[in-house]
């Protein structure tokens, strides 16, 4: 085998190098110096993110188990951006909480291993590889959710996550074994040619789908999300809600639209139904939430329902709208999580009532939150509007006007609860407002990135055009 | 540079300038300068437009330009105006400037207030200059969302409730609208390269009748919500009553016109067959709005509620006239939009001034104000007379044209509804004159009123800005009517009349 071919895996190798350097730094630095691991990690990951944008070749490795091309490469870059924002947002928390406990490098190790798992998951050309990637991306997150182990809620979140994830993996594995039994192959390419939609294949496919749906937290596989988000450290909740979900959406897209179009008779109906359920139930539960992390959890369940609309159009526009929406969603949701995180870090408060009069004390943070919420609700001229519009458009292209109408009415419901936070921040005055919040540079940088994304991504059409161009193949 | 683009750049720059303001004085100065420039630009557009027409340019849309935006989906930003949109742009510029003057004394979070107000106006301007369904929809939503903050933060009474109700109902309307627009896009055949959002191209290619039957009601209801069509009008009284003065002015004066304009420009223009088939049903609804609004206004005691219901009635008349689907009535509809925009803005401005002085909006608690507040009271009488359609003021021209147009239909159904709608005008006279009598005439019933401060310069400026065009249109309606009439040709052609 030609060693140069391994460079196709440059993205993974880079991240592996970053992880190894951070482990070495852990050995190298001692005592008080440990806090310098944080800037080092951020710098290394920033470099990794940048380097990811350099052009890369395409092809397959290891007998088709690993494959890559321009679109896959771009998807990994999107995930990198999300993780970069998460890393920036957690920097303050890591310094304050983890450095004294001497648990810094493990944090980055876990976070990035999970990202590595996602890379392999997206790049997999083989069901087994896919499963390994799926596992690798899920297990570290359970550890991360329980990272503030002395806090009961965090420990509870970790246990919940690991139990649910374990069950989901078992079901996925069951699905894989059924698919293997029906077709006799693990290779996705061969599988896609052999699938004809027999009963056994359908059963296997549905089991497999359930495992992925768990990661996207589609209704009815969403029950873990609010509890885990609420208990996990806020940065990790943000990671779960955008990066982990985004990766799962990507893999679902590659599998359904790329490899299982022959089964579309089955999954289109399933997705149609799940889209309605996910949007509606996510929205209805979000209406009553007081805790902002739970609130964002349900809101992100609902957002996942909107994403499913993009799957109904087989064309390039459908895929492009999915990827574009995930990209926009990363910025919008992480901006909201960033604000919740800074408030929580400064005051420990995370209820909606606590935000009353927020604008008068912290105008900038309130503006960031306003932009984030409006983008999530799909208000022009913010990026979220375009993301949703293109999703609706691709569903309408398939003729699913009724579904589009249900979805748009759901955005009106979602607007209601997003406006509840706006109401607390802008309309209300409080006798005991939150104090003035001073963020560190890392957090400010992350919010700046998010706001820039929210403002620029929609109005300038270049990004969408680029994604659309990449979507010729999956 | 394209003059229409300028109409978007000026408010955007004003918004950018406002971001850097610190004091209230700076903020209102920037707003007044920005909206003053916009006012000048709008009149420049009017004259440029009239000159082009006088020079014999008979293109349907003038000053058109097209910018590529989302190329893979064939989404462009297309600009262009005809007589109808020019008239509405000028109206918007007038009302916005008057609104800024009226808010001169804004105390709390003044900068944020002006930012939201001008963001709203930007949305309205963008809507009127767009020739493209996508950008129209974008600007439509952009115009609606600031209302939440404007009513919620600076409003009065049950402001949180009203703000939420208004926003959700209007956004619910836009949900139907969005589906309608997507349906138009995917059924469009006019463009050389696939589907299109461009209005003129869709109109040229035509929409299949089966699709029209599905998407016409969605689109008409979507815009109709904003036009306060029964039974989707309930946001209007609450919203107007809770909103601060300038916002009521802009909302009733301009924003509700988006509904009428959209029904005319999108629903009827692009889907003429369905419009003729289904007009009867919507005539029932809008005709009912006209009557219901008028009787609703009679029962109210709060000045703002009176005006809000009166707006439901008058805006219902706009939609009613559009649904008559003939040239005269549509001409009247556009005139009515402009006339109602000016006079209802004037009403709300005056109510704001009165409330600031007397701290009440209940008609019965006031009396004899003509003696203590002559300027404001005289303006109120003028607005009232315009509203009940006195010849010589703009309201008469508009309503007369509408009813003449409506009467051109000889069948019983149209006749009956026209007569019912005309009778609403009589009711208008009842509630207007009763208010004038109770509130302005008679003895001063509250000794504290003897020392009320007279209108200030900025209040007078704001009021005069609105009264002058009301009188001008009333005295010399012909040029405006001609300008609009010519622009109606494409719609009439589409309808095959």
């Amino acid at each position: 085998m030609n060693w140069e071919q391994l460079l196709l895996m440059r993205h993974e190798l880079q991240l592996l190098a970053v992880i190894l350097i951070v482990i070495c730094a852990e050995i190298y630095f001692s005592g008080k110096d440990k806090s310098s691991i944080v800037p080092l990690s951020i710098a290394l990951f920033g470099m990794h993110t940048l380097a990811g944008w350099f052009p890369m070749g395409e092809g397959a490795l290891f007998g088709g188990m690993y494959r890559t091309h321009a679109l896959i490469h771009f998807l990994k870059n999107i995930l990198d951006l999300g993780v970069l924002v998460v890393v920036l947002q957690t920097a303050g928390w890591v310094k304050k909480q983890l450095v004294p406990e001497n648990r810094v490098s493990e944090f980055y190790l876990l976070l990035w291993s999970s990202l590595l798992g996602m890379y392999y998951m997206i790049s997999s050309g083989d069901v087994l590889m896919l499963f390994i990637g799926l596992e690798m991306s899920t297990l570290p997150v359970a550890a991360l959710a329980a990272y503030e182990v002395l806090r009961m809620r965090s420990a509870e979140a970790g246990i919940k996550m690991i139990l649910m994830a374990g069950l989901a993996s078992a079901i996925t594995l069951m699905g894989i074994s059924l698919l293997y039994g029906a077709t006799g192959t693990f290779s996705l390419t061969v599988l896609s040619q052999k699938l004809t939609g027999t009963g056994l294949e359908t059963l296997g496919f549905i089991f497999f789908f359930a495992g992925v749906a768990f990661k996207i937290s589609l209704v009815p596989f969403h029950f873990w999300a609010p509890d885990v988000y609420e208990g996990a450290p806020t940065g990790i909740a943000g990671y779960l809600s955008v990066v982990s979900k985004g990766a799962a959406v990507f893999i679902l897209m590659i599998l359904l639209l790329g490899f299982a179009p022959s089964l579309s008779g089955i999954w289109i109906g399933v997705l149609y139904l799940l889209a309605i359920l996910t949007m509606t139930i996510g929205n209805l539960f979000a209406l009553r939430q007081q805790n902002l992390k739970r609130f964002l959890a349900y809101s992100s369940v609902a957002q996942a329902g909107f994403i499913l609309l993009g799957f109904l159009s087989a064309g390039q526009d459908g895929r492009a709208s999915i990827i574009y929406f995930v990209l926009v969603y990363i910025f919008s949701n992480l901006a909201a999580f960033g604000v919740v995180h800074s408030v929580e870090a400064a005051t420990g408060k995370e209820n909606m009532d606590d935000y009353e009069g927020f604008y008068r004390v912290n105008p900038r943070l309130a503006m960031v939150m306003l932009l984030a919420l409006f983008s999530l609700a799909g208000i022009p001229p913010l990026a979220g509007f375009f993301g949703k519009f293109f999703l609706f458009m691709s569903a309408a292209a398939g003729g699913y006007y009724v579904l589009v109408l249900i979805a748009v009415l759901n955005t009106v419901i979602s607007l209601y609860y997003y406006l509840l936070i706006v109401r607390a921040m802008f309309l209300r005055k409080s006798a005991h407002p939150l104090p003035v919040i001073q963020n560190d540079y890392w957090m400010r940088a992350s919010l700046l990135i998010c706001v820039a994304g929210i403002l620029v991504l929609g109005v300038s059409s270049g990004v969408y055009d680029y994604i659309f161009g990449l979507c010729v193949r999956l | 540079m394209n003059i229409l683009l300028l109409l978007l750049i000026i408010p955007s720059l004003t918004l950018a300038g406002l971001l850097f303001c610190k004091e209230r004085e700076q903020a209102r100065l920037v707003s007044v300068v920005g909206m003053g420039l916009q006012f000048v630009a709008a009149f420049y557009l009017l004259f440029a437009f009239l000159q082009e027409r006088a020079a014999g340019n008979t293109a349907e849309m003038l000053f058109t330009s097209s910018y590529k935006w989302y190329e893979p989906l064939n989404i462009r930003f297309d600009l262009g105006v005809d007589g109808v949109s020019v008239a509405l742009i000028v109206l918007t510029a007038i009302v916005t400037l008057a609104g800024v003057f009226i808010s001169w004394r804004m105390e709390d979070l003044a900068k944020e207030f002006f930012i939201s107000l001008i963001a709203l106006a930007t949305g309205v301007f963008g809507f009127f200059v767009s020739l493209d369904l996508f950008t129209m929809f974008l600007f439509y939503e952009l115009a609606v969302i600031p209302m939440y903050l404007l009513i919620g933060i600076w409003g009065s009474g049950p402001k949180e409730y009203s703000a939420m109700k208004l926003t959700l109902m209007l956004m619910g309307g836009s949900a139907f609208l969005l589906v309608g627009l997507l349906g138009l896009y995917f059924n469009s055949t006019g463009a050389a390269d696939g589907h299109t959002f461009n209005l003129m191209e869709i109109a040229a290619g035509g929409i299949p009748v089966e699709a029209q039957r599905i998407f016409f009601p969605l689109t008409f209801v979507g815009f109709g919500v904003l036009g306060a069509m029964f039974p989707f009008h309930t946001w209007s009284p609450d919203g107007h009553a809770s909103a601060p003065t300038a916002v009521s002015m802009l909302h009733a004066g301009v924003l509700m016109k988006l509904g009428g304009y959209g029904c005319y420009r999108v629903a009827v223009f692009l889907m003429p067959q369905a419009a003729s088939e289904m007009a009867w049903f919507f005539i029932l609804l809008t005709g009912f709005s006209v009557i219901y609004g008028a009787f609703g206004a009679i029962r109210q005691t709060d000045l703002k509620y009176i005006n809000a219901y009166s707006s439901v009635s008058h805006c219902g008349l706009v939609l009613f006239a559009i649904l008559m689907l003939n040239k005269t009535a549509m001409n009247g509809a556009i005139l009515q939009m402009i006339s109602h925009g000016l006079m209802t803005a004037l009403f709300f401005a005056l109510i704001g001034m009165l409330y600031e002085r007397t701290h009440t909006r209940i008609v019965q608690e006031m009396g004899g104000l003509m003696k203590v507040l002559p300027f404001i009271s005289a303006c109120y009488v003028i607005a009232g007379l315009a509203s009940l359609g006195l010849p010589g003021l703009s309201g008469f021209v508009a309503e007369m044209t509408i009813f003449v147009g409506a009467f051109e239909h000889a069948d019983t159904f149209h006749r009956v509804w026209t007569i019912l709608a005309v009778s609403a005008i009589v009711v208008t006279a009842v509630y207007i004159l009763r208010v004038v009598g109770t509130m302005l005439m008679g003895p001063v019933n509250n000794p504290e009123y003897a020392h009320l401060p007279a209108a200030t310069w900025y209040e007078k400026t704001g009021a005069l800005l609105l009264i002058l065009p009301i009188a001008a249109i009333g005295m010399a309606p012909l040029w405006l009517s001609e300008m609009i009439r010519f622009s109606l040709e494409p719609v009439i052609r589409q309808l095959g009349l």
Side-chain angles (χ1 to χ4, degrees):
Chain A
M1 185 174 140
N2 188 352
W3 289 105
E4 272 179 31
Q5 267 191 317
L6 274 183
L7 277 181
L8 284 178
M9 289 199 341
R10 198 189 74 206
H11 222 106
E12 288 77 5
L13 296 177
Q14 269 176 27
L15 185 61
L16 206 57
V18 170
I19 294 175
L20 289 176
I21 295 174
V22 171
I23 292 178
C24 294
E26 166 75 22
I27 304 166
Y28 182 78
F29 292 118
S30 60
K32 275 185 180 174
D33 296 341
K34 293 261 189 211
S35 65
S36 33
I37 295 178
V38 178
L40 175 74
S41 308
I42 294 175
L44 283 172
F45 195 79
M47 277 155 60
H48 165 68
T49 309
L50 276 181
W53 290 95
F54 288 119
M56 259 177 45
E58 53 184 72
L61 283 177
F62 312 123
M65 280 191 104
Y66 179 95
R67 66 195 192 100
T68 184
H69 54 70
L71 179 66
I72 289 181
H73 185 58
F74 180 73
L75 296 182
K76 290 177 187 167
N77 280 328
I78 293 183
L79 296 182
D80 280 348
L81 272 179
V83 174
L84 180 68
V85 174
V86 169
V87 167
L88 285 170
Q89 287 187 351
T90 47
W93 170 75
V94 170
K95 273 191 175 165
K96 204 171 128 202
Q97 294 259 340
L98 304 187
V99 170
E101 298 171 18
N102 206 355
R103 295 192 295 148
V104 181
S105 55
E106 295 95 315
F107 173 76
Y108 290 112
L109 174 66
L110 287 169
L111 189 69
W112 292 335
S113 326
S114 135
L115 180 63
L116 197 59
M118 289 171 196
Y119 287 170
Y120 280 115
M121 183 166 87
I122 295 175
S123 268
S124 58
D126 185 293
V127 188
L128 272 187
M129 183 76 162
L130 179 67
F131 182 71
I132 294 171
L134 201 65
E135 283 296 275
M136 193 172 163
S137 69
T138 311
L139 293 182
V141 185
L144 284 171
Y147 214 70
E148 288 178 336
V149 72
L150 294 178
R151 209 160 49 89
M152 288 280 273
R153 286 220 176 247
S154 180
E156 184 193 330
I159 289 289
K160 267 189 184 145
M161 171 109 198
I162 197 82
L163 285 178
M164 298 290 268
L167 187 62
S169 317
I171 292 172
T172 315
L173 210 51
M174 177 76 187
I176 291 177
S177 67
L178 288 180
L179 280 178
Y180 183 72
T183 58
T185 176
F186 278 135
S187 157
L188 282 172
T189 329
V190 184
L191 204 60
S192 74
Q193 288 154 359
K194 285 200 175 173
L195 283 179
T196 47
T198 62
L200 192 59
E201 284 167 11
T202 313
L203 197 61
F205 175 77
I206 286 179
F207 276 125
F208 188 83
F209 176 79
V212 184
F214 162 81
K215 284 216 76 168
I216 313 182
S217 64
L218 297 178
V219 174
F221 309 102
H222 69 289
F223 289 101
W224 62 278
D227 291 350
V228 173
Y229 284 24
E230 189 188 359
T234 313
I236 299 308
Y239 177 81
L240 271 170
S241 82
V242 295
V243 183
S244 173
K245 180 176 287 198
V249 167
F250 291 154
I251 189 63
L252 192 65
M253 178 182 80
I254 292 174
L255 287 180
L256 293 189
L257 300 176
F259 291 107
S262 54
L263 292 184
S264 65
I266 302 162
W267 57 258
I268 281 198
V270 173
L271 286 191
Y272 191 100
L273 204 65
L274 285 191
I276 296 178
L277 278 179
T278 309
M279 289 184 291
T280 316
I281 291 180
N283 273 333
L284 292 182
F285 277 82
L287 287 179
R288 305 287 298 170
Q289 300 305 319
Q290 268 297 314
N291 180 298
L292 278 188
K293 279 156 83 177
R294 283 186 85 82
F295 168 88
L296 284 172
Y298 279 112
S299 120
S300 76
V301 169
Q303 300 278 348
F306 292 115
I307 299 179
L308 293 188
L309 263 68
F311 285 84
L312 299 178
S313 158
Q316 221 171 327
D317 54 340
R319 303 169 202 166
S321 66
I322 295 170
I323 299 171
Y324 181 74
F325 186 85
V326 170
L327 180 64
V328 168
Y329 173 69
I330 284 180
F331 289 119
S332 318
N333 218 28
L334 280 182
F337 265 106
V339 175
V340 173
H341 193 170
S342 9
V343 171
E344 198 201 349
T347 63
K349 293 182 175 170
E350 51 187 48
N351 270 348
M352 206 183 280
D353 306 340
D354 300 325
Y355 281 72
E356 288 183 359
F358 192 57
Y359 178 73
R360 287 168 199 263
V361 193
N362 297 298
R364 287 195 187 164
L365 275 181
M367 278 313 290
V368 174
M369 191 70 168
L370 181 81
L371 288 177
L373 295 174
F374 277 0
S375 180
L376 285 172
I379 303 294
L382 304 175
F385 169 77
F386 296 88
K388 284 222 173 97
F389 193 91
F390 296 147
L391 281 177
F392 296 157
M393 217 167 146
S394 66
Y400 298 97
Y401 288 107
V402 178
L403 182 63
V404 174
L405 186 63
I406 297 173
V408 194
L409 289 175
N410 259 301
T411 61
V412 180
I413 303 179
S414 75
L415 182 66
Y416 170 74
Y417 58 74
Y418 291 127
L419 283 180
L420 287 183
I421 300 183
V422 175
R423 183 176 82 182
M425 290 193 305
F426 286 79
L427 272 54
R428 296 266 167 93
K429 288 174 187 164
S430 169
H432 310 285
L434 293 169
V436 178
I437 290 165
Q438 273 293 334
N439 275 321
D440 56 13
Y441 289 110
W442 306 117
M443 179 60 94
R444 283 189 208 172
S446 82
L447 292 180
L448 204 65
I449 295 175
C450 292
V451 168
I454 292 172
L455 291 178
V456 173
L457 274 180
V459 179
S460 72
S461 58
V463 180
Y464 181 82
D465 293 351
Y466 179 69
I467 295 176
F468 192 87
L470 286 178
C471 283
V472 250
R473 55 181 290 201
L474 270 174
Chain B
M1 187 173 58
N2 191 322
I3 164 87
L4 298 178
L5 209 54
L6 195 67
L7 284 172
L8 285 178
I9 292 173
I10 295 176
S12 314
L13 285 181
T14 315
L15 284 176
L18 277 170
L19 285 179
F20 293 102
C21 292
K22 291 213 165 60
E23 312 273 313
R24 180 184 73 165
E25 283 70 23
Q26 288 172 348
R28 69 189 186 192
L29 192 67
V30 170
S31 315
V32 138
V33 170
M35 289 304 103
L37 283 175
Q38 183 80 348
F39 183 77
V40 174
F43 272 92
Y44 173 74
L45 171 72
L46 177 65
F47 290 121
F49 182 84
L50 289 175
Q51 266 177 1
E52 284 282 322
R53 282 279 188 253
N57 187 343
T58 55
E60 284 171 10
M61 292 290 165
L62 294 187
F63 310 113
T64 51
S65 56
S66 178
Y67 302 92
K68 282 185 176 151
W69 202 2
Y70 282 93
E71 264 191 290
L73 303 172
N74 203 12
I75 291 177
R76 295 187 309 253
F77 184 19
D78 292 331
L79 298 153
V81 284
D82 63 1
V84 177
S85 19
V86 168
L88 287 167
I89 288 168
V90 174
L91 166 74
T92 311
I94 295 174
V95 176
T96 316
L97 185 62
V100 172
F101 273 117
I102 296 296
S103 326
W104 201 248
R105 276 282 166 80
M106 180 50 65
E107 297 286 345
D108 189 26
L109 299 176
K111 171 178 139 181
E112 288 78 358
F113 176 81
F114 285 114
I115 289 181
S116 314
L117 193 71
I118 291 175
L120 192 166
T122 315
V124 178
F125 282 115
F127 185 83
F128 286 139
V129 299
S130 295
L131 273 190
D132 184 288
L133 294 177
F134 179 78
T135 42
M136 268 177 116
F137 183 73
L138 189 153
F139 283 117
Y140 173 97
E141 295 219 322
L142 185 64
V144 169
I145 269 297
M147 291 298 294
Y148 181 74
L149 294 175
L150 282 167
I151 297 179
I153 300 180
W154 296 278
S156 57
K159 53 185 184 178
E160 288 182 2
Y161 165 77
S162 306
M164 191 63 96
K165 183 174 179 183
L166 179 142
T167 317
L168 291 186
M169 283 194 75
L170 294 188
M171 284 312 211
S174 83
F176 291 101
L177 185 57
L178 176 62
V179 180
L181 298 189
L182 287 175
L184 283 173
Y185 174 82
F186 284 110
N187 286 296
S188 63
T189 46
D193 43 351
H195 302 303
T196 175
F197 273 121
N198 183 299
L199 276 168
M200 306 317 279
E201 287 174 9
I202 297 179
I207 300 283
V209 180
E210 302 77 49
Q212 287 189 19
R213 289 198 185 109
I214 300 170
F215 297 111
F216 175 78
L218 288 171
T219 317
F220 198 89
V221 168
F223 280 121
V225 174
L226 189 54
M229 181 175 72
F230 180 86
F232 306 108
H233 65 283
T234 54
W235 57 268
S236 160
D238 290 322
H240 285 146
S242 298
T245 306
V247 178
S248 296
M249 288 169 65
L250 237 76
H251 194 231
V254 178
L255 200 59
M256 283 169 89
K257 307 300 171 286
L258 262 59
Y261 180 80
C263 285
Y264 153 77
R265 175 75 84 211
V266 180
V268 174
F269 180 47
L270 300 182
M271 295 176 276
Q273 281 94 348
S276 352
E277 279 177 26
M278 298 181 186
W280 66 272
F281 177 70
F282 289 104
I283 286 178
L284 285 180
L285 290 183
T286 53
F288 196 73
S289 297
V290 176
I291 301 161
Y292 174 90
F295 279 98
I298 286 194
R299 290 290 302 147
Q300 302 301 320
T301 52
D302 182 316
L303 279 175
K304 275 200 164 179
Y305 272 102
I306 295 180
N307 255 296
Y309 276 104
S310 150
S311 287
V312 172
S313 172
H314 283 121
C315 287
L317 198 57
V318 171
L319 298 181
F320 182 78
I322 290 172
L323 287 167
M324 287 297 154
L325 303 178
N326 65 32
K327 204 169 177 180
T328 321
M330 281 199 188
N331 197 345
I334 312 294
L335 284 171
Q336 171 78 351
M337 281 201 237
I338 293 157
S339 156
H340 173 257
L342 291 166
M343 93 204 166
T344 203
L346 180 60
F347 262 130
F348 279 117
L350 296 167
I351 293 168
M353 295 178 204
L354 288 175
Y355 181 73
E356 221 170 74
R357 290 172 170 77
T358 61
H359 304 292
T360 177
R361 290 197 306 252
I362 308 298
V363 178
Q364 283 75 13
E365 292 178 7
M366 292 182 261
L369 292 180
M370 188 66 97
K371 298 194 181 65
V372 282
L373 295 168
F375 179 82
I376 298 177
S377 305
C379 293
Y380 201 95
V381 173
I382 295 174
L385 294 179
S387 175
L388 59 80
L390 188 79
L393 295 169
S394 60
F396 171 75
V397 181
E399 283 169 5
M400 195 62 202
T401 323
I402 289 179
F403 292 127
V404 168
F407 231 70
E408 282 175 15
H409 289 277
D411 57 313
T412 326
F413 175 77
H414 284 92
R415 281 278 154 89
V416 168
W417 276 100
T418 310
I419 291 170
L420 284 174
V422 174
S423 64
I425 302 299
V426 184
V427 182
T428 310
V430 174
Y431 64 78
I432 295 283
L433 292 178
R434 208 168 58 178
V435 169
V436 168
T438 319
M439 190 175 79
L440 304 178
M441 308 302 175
V444 181
N445 63 353
N446 188 336
E448 286 174 21
Y449 288 174
H451 310 289
L452 293 180
T456 53
W457 67 268
Y458 49 84
E459 287 172 337
K460 284 182 181 167
T461 319
L464 287 178
L465 267 175
L466 297 165
I467 289 180
L468 290 178
I470 293 181
I473 295 173
M475 302 289 179
L478 203 60
W479 64 273
L480 180 62
S481 189
E482 281 298 314
M483 186 171 94
I484 294 167
R485 178 172 286 269
F486 186 80
S487 305
L488 294 173
E489 290 293 345
V491 182
I492 299 303
R493 202 167 54 235
Q494 285 275 320
L495 286 163
L497 294 169

